[in-house]
Amino acid sequence: MAVDATIRERVDALRELLHHHAHRYYVLDQPEIPDAEYDRLFRELQVLEAQHPELLAPDSPTQRVGGKVLEGFAKVRHKVAMLSIRTETDIEASGARSFDARVRRELGLAEGDLPVEYVAELKFDGLAISLRYEHGVLVQAATRGDGEIGEDVTQNIRTIGQIPLRLEGRPHPHLHPEKSASAFLEDPGGPPPEGEGTKKDSLPRWGRAGEGAPPVPPILEVRGEVYMRRDDFERLNELQREKIARGAKGEKTFVNPRNAAAGAVRQLDPGIARQRPLSFFAYGWGEITPPEEGGPRFETHFEVLQALRAWGLPVSERTQLAAGPEALVAYHQAIGRERDQLPFDIDGVVYKVNSLALQRRLGFVTREPRWAVAHKFPAQEMLTTVEAIDVYVGRTGKLTPVAKLAPVFVGGVTVTNATLHNEDEARRKDVRIGDTVIVRRAGDVIPEVVAVVPDKRHGQPPQFTMPRHCPVCGAEAVREEGEADYRCTGGLFCAAQRKHAILHFAQRRAMDIEGLGEKLVDQMVEGNVIRTLADLYRLGLNAIASLERMADKSARNVLAALEQSKRTTLPRFLYGLGIRHVGEATAKDLARHFGRLDSIMDASVEHLLEVPDVGPVVAESIHTFFQQPHNREVVEQLRACGVTWEEGEPAARAPKPLAGKTIVLTGTLPSLSRDEAKDLLEAAGAKVAGSVSKKTDYVIAGAEAGSKLDKARELGVAVLDEDGLRALLSG
């Protein structure tokens, strides 16, 4: 039965729209529609394709979803071999000069001749991939393999959003055969995108997809790199650690982004591959339809990269032209300085002769092109030995085992410490004192021990065990159920947590001590001016005025803010103590339920569980905090210094006129601040939400109310002003 023309047109239109918006999102990082709208269009296309399977096409956006599990990867013979590039072992500037000298010598250029023009690119630390497009549609993706034969990983590659399933290409005025690559650099056809730190990176824009290149050739093999961004890698490993902590079998953390990316591409289950956050950069080509058979005619490597970019493929914006050896040196040094700030790993840069005619003249030697070289940076993984394992206490009380290493030069710096993350990770990697280990440093990430070299272990050194008491203050170290980390329970007493505790105590939603900022607290703690929270209220004018950048007037203002903060509320005081898992809402619930601080401090876990929204983890955390003598002592010292609040009866005896009601605040009320209105509503039992939904009972609207008011009217939710709010509160 023939498909109705209207349905066919709608399917084509949906595919066009989805291709367009996927490119805007994944490649340009400039989405035009919200995710929900994209999902709606996607679901509509899925339904139409399910109803009319004869309309299904390999370039449909719905084909990105992983298919069935493979039994193994089919072999793919590359039509054009994926050759390796010679590595320049001299990591200093002379490496670039040596390459240029070789090129000029082999081209027969004299000293007075014009400099050779090169394309300078990043050397990505990922997995090389070849993408085969036929008539603009992705039909196959293969790994490098041995250069001649790779593995078919098409199903997995389809799951990478940055890789277009279909290329677009139309004539564009910025690409003329007579125009040099230098001219393209000077006139790119639009401003470059925001720096390479954005989610999707590209060369300067010669136009949108399909508007900056000749028509896509009938056959095109795109060569590039699949990689994993550092932030995506850290999130992936964090998820893996959570699974391991929950006792999941067969799970492990990944050694580095490259291994994680390679492992995802080589998953036999495309569904698993789809869950891994992979990215892609194009940097070259293999087989391509020749000009005499309808393919495009290019004169330079840079022109090809521009065409790939305009056909919809991501190309790194750090790619640039460089005339002569000193320009290569400058590029190598500049990228070396930026290396740690890049959002992905690189291990060097690549120089390629720009002219394709000169590339053909230079040819190959032992299957390596004479016209290209990889210029490495210092290694980011090295061998060294573990001299000790210390435990570091973070500002929030987290205990982290740290391997003390024999000094080793890694990634441009000398490393003497490397994190082991937590006890589970240290034991999983089986790191012991005296071991020879692989140490990795990438970007701003703290150096970490990747793995132990078991063949180099001598004897049977003892396994690492996390201490059960804080090495700084001696308080008990506990590991909560479901958590991977041990934490010091010293809290307010622990010197390692002191700065964080004071800043948290002083913040606006806690004790609201104006003027007590980070720099001032740093000076006070480092100079031993204050050791506990109570010391804040014992400060004199001279002690504050003597600190750097603190004039007499500023010191008086801080003293006045401290004095004013003594009069507070029980929820603010509880929140200010920095009890783990106790936020503002929980602090208010505790105050309403118990009425008095002493009742909270003496409450059992069972009694704490009676508080609304307080579960076992939170109850145990509160109970443990107040069972520590030093924490109770700090509380008593604060009371002795004059910190006071009104206490009341337990919640069971107090009426709650708005119990069970959900209320949203928007705009500016005449006499109540947003915080004051929220406090009043929560004290009356209401839940104050941040957005309007069908479950919202009231919206309290003041001056300049925005979209929340519009949403309330749209849903028919009751809207009140401040007078209406007060009427609600009075019952």
Side-chain angles (χ1 to χ4, degrees):
M1 182 177 176
V3 178
D4 184 271
T6 304
I7 294 175
R8 187 180 296 275
E9 288 172 4
R10 180 56 180 166
V11 167
D12 289 342
L14 284 169
R15 287 175 183 161
E16 191 72 28
L17 268 174
L18 290 167
H19 280 307
H20 169 76
H21 290 302
H23 180 77
R24 298 284 305 181
Y25 180 85
Y26 288 110
V27 179
L28 301 182
D29 196 22
Q30 290 184 333
E32 293 177 337
I33 60 174
D35 291 350
E37 176 62 13
Y38 182 92
D39 293 341
R40 187 189 67 77
L41 296 171
F42 189 90
R43 286 193 297 271
E44 183 184 350
L45 179 58
Q46 279 183 313
V47 169
L48 289 174
E49 289 179 343
Q51 293 172 347
H52 305 280
E54 61 271 34
L55 294 181
L56 194 61
D59 64 331
S60 173
T62 60
Q63 298 308 292
R64 287 199 185 279
V65 181
K68 64 180 181 180
V69 177
L70 304 174
E71 294 181 2
F73 293 112
K75 300 299 181 185
V76 174
R77 180 172 291 277
H78 301 299
K79 297 295 181 67
V80 175
M82 295 183 70
L83 303 179
S84 58
I85 296 177
R86 176 178 176 178
T87 299
E88 176 56 63
T89 55
D90 186 347
I91 62 175
E92 301 303 326
S94 55
R97 298 189 182 102
S98 298
F99 170 64
D100 177 71
R102 286 197 303 273
V103 168
R104 294 180 65 83
R105 183 171 62 252
E106 291 170 6
L107 290 174
L109 298 178
E111 187 173 337
D113 291 336
L114 290 173
V116 176
E117 186 175 64
Y118 300 98
V119 175
E121 307 172 357
L122 303 182
K123 187 177 184 300
F124 306 107
D125 196 10
L127 182 72
I129 289 290
S130 179
L131 309 175
R132 185 175 179 84
Y133 289 88
E134 295 182 1
H135 303 286
V137 176
L138 178 66
V139 297
Q140 189 176 69
T143 61
R144 180 200 298 274
D146 62 3
E148 295 286 347
I149 298 176
E151 294 177 318
D152 188 331
V153 290
T154 309
Q155 287 199 48
N156 291 342
I157 291 301
R158 284 180 182 276
T159 68
I160 302 175
Q162 282 184 296
I163 295 178
L165 300 180
R166 185 183 70 201
L167 303 179
E168 300 291 343
R170 292 183 290 276
H172 187 270
H174 289 302
L175 280 173
H176 295 295
E178 69 275 10
K179 193 170 183 180
S180 71
S182 297
F184 285 113
L185 187 65
E186 295 163 3
D187 182 20
E194 299 296 325
E196 189 116 19
T198 58
K199 179 78 176 175
K200 312 336 180 259
D201 307 307
S202 61
L203 222 58
R205 296 182 182 134
W206 299 275
R208 301 293 179 250
E211 298 177 357
V216 177
I219 299 297
L220 172 66
E221 284 185 353
V222 179
R223 302 287 165 78
E225 199 92 356
V226 171
Y227 67 97
M228 188 176 290
R229 290 170 52 95
R230 290 172 183 158
D231 53 358
D232 287 334
F233 173 73
E234 290 303 319
R235 279 193 290 271
L236 176 62
N237 259 355
E238 188 61 36
L239 288 173
Q240 293 301 109
R241 292 188 190 104
E242 290 175 4
K243 291 178 183 177
I244 293 168
R246 292 196 298 266
K249 295 182 179 180
E251 298 292 347
K252 65 176 184 178
T253 55
F254 297 94
V255 172
N256 53 47
R258 184 190 185 283
N259 288 6
V265 170
R266 300 196 73 255
Q267 277 284 339
L268 291 174
D269 184 353
I272 296 176
R274 189 169 184 265
Q275 297 170 14
R276 303 282 168 82
L278 299 177
S279 299
F280 175 78
F281 276 132
Y283 53 65
W285 66 99
E287 183 182 11
I288 185 171
T289 304
E292 56 271 19
E293 296 179 18
R297 186 179 301 278
F298 296 112
E299 294 183 356
T300 66
H301 180 81
F302 197 73
E303 287 178 358
V304 179
L305 294 181
Q306 292 183 85
L308 294 177
R309 170 64 179 86
W311 285 332
L313 290 149
V315 181
S316 171
E317 69 173 17
R318 290 298 196 279
T319 301
Q320 68 180 57
L321 292 169
E326 297 312 310
L328 296 181
V329 170
Y331 182 82
H332 184 264
Q333 292 175 342
I335 296 299
R337 288 191 295 270
E338 296 178 43
R339 183 186 186 188
D340 287 355
Q341 280 72 54
L342 293 174
F344 45 77
D345 284 354
I346 61 173
D347 55 5
V349 296
V350 176
Y351 312 134
K352 299 174 182 176
V353 172
N354 190 31
S355 166
L356 299 183
L358 291 183
Q359 286 187 13
R360 289 190 289 271
R361 278 180 57 187
L362 288 163
F364 300 83
V365 56
T366 61
R367 303 188 58 74
E368 291 179 346
R370 286 191 175 97
W371 43 266
V373 72
H375 194 179
K376 289 292 197 77
F377 288 131
Q380 291 188 294
E381 288 188 355
M382 293 292 289
L383 290 177
T384 186
T385 55
V386 178
E387 297 181 338
I389 298 179
D390 292 344
V391 174
Y392 168 78
V393 184
R395 64 188 181 91
T396 60
K398 175 183 172 182
L399 272 60
T400 303
V402 175
K404 311 297 286 186
L405 308 171
V408 60
F409 194 72
V410 184
V413 299
T414 299
V415 171
T416 56
N417 299 319
T419 181
L420 297 174
H421 295 293
N422 54 53
E423 184 179 60
D424 289 347
E425 278 289 284
R427 289 192 170 187
R428 186 184 66 78
K429 294 175 180 176
D430 197 22
V431 180
R432 307 187 186 197
I433 296 172
D435 278 349
T436 297
V437 294
I438 301 170
V439 177
R440 176 177 175 80
R441 177 184 178 270
D444 293 326
V445 179
I446 298 170
E448 67 172 333
V449 172
V450 173
V452 171
V453 182
D455 293 345
K456 293 183 177 290
R457 176 176 288 169
H458 302 290
Q460 284 295 321
Q463 190 177 46
F464 170 76
T465 300
M466 185 69 75
R468 296 306 184 256
H469 290 86
C470 174
V472 174
C473 70
E476 184 182 2
V478 299
R479 178 177 179 174
E480 295 173 357
E481 185 176 352
E483 291 274 340
D485 300 315
Y486 280 85
R487 293 184 181 274
C488 166
T489 58
L492 309 176
F493 176 77
C494 182
Q497 302 175 64
R498 193 170 293 153
K499 288 181 187 177
H500 176 72
I502 293 168
L503 286 170
H504 179 82
F505 184 77
Q507 67 169 288
R508 183 175 65 86
R509 294 294 293 160
M511 301 299 286
D512 193 18
I513 307 174
E514 190 173 347
L516 201 63
E518 188 170 352
K519 291 182 179 178
L520 184 58
V521 170
D522 282 348
Q523 290 188 68
M524 289 178 172
V525 172
E526 289 167 8
N528 284 322
V529 176
I530 50 177
R531 292 178 178 272
T532 72
L533 296 179
D535 288 341
L536 287 169
Y537 296 101
R538 301 185 182 114
L539 289 171
L541 181 62
N542 291 338
I544 301 177
S546 64
L547 298 172
E548 186 179 349
R549 298 179 183 176
M550 286 299 295
D552 185 77
K553 182 178 180 181
S554 298
R556 291 182 186 278
N557 288 340
V558 172
L559 282 177
L562 282 164
E563 187 62 31
Q564 184 176 346
S565 74
K566 289 181 179 180
R567 186 68 178 170
T568 186
T569 66
L570 180 53
R572 283 177 175 269
F573 182 78
L574 279 171
Y575 176 59
L577 292 179
I579 306 167
R580 183 162 163 76
H581 301 305
V582 176
E584 294 175 59
T586 302
K588 291 173 182 176
D589 288 342
L590 288 167
R592 280 195 294 269
H593 184 85
F594 289 99
R596 302 176 182 277
L597 178 62
D598 288 340
S599 299
I600 300 171
M601 293 173 67
D602 296 334
S604 65
V605 171
E606 290 73 19
H607 197 174
L608 289 165
L609 285 171
E610 296 174 5
V611 180
D613 297 326
V614 170
V617 172
V618 179
E620 188 63 44
S621 179
I622 298 166
H623 182 261
T624 299
F625 181 90
F626 285 120
Q627 288 306 300
Q628 303 295 319
H630 42 261
N631 288 337
R632 298 177 76 98
E633 182 183 345
V634 169
V635 170
E636 293 310 314
Q637 288 179 0
L638 287 167
R639 281 170 154 170
C641 289
V643 177
T644 60
W645 54 85
E646 287 186 7
E647 294 191 324
E649 296 300 319
R653 303 180 191 177
K656 287 188 176 181
L658 299 180
K661 301 294 184 183
T662 299
I663 297 177
V664 173
L665 296 165
T666 183
T668 304
L669 299 177
S671 64
L672 290 173
S673 70
R674 181 74 63 89
D675 289 340
E676 289 170 338
K678 183 179 179 183
D679 288 343
L680 290 170
L681 286 165
E682 288 180 337
K687 175 185 176 182
V688 179
S691 60
V692 180
S693 71
K694 293 180 179 179
K695 295 181 180 179
T696 304
D697 292 291
Y698 299 99
V699 168
I700 310 300
E704 299 181 4
S707 60
K708 294 176 184 177
L709 179 58
D710 296 334
K711 185 71 171 179
R713 289 169 175 163
E714 179 186 329
L715 296 175
V717 175
V719 178
L720 305 175
D721 58 11
E722 185 176 319
D723 289 339
L725 166 62
R726 294 188 183 279
L728 277 181
L729 293 170
S730 66

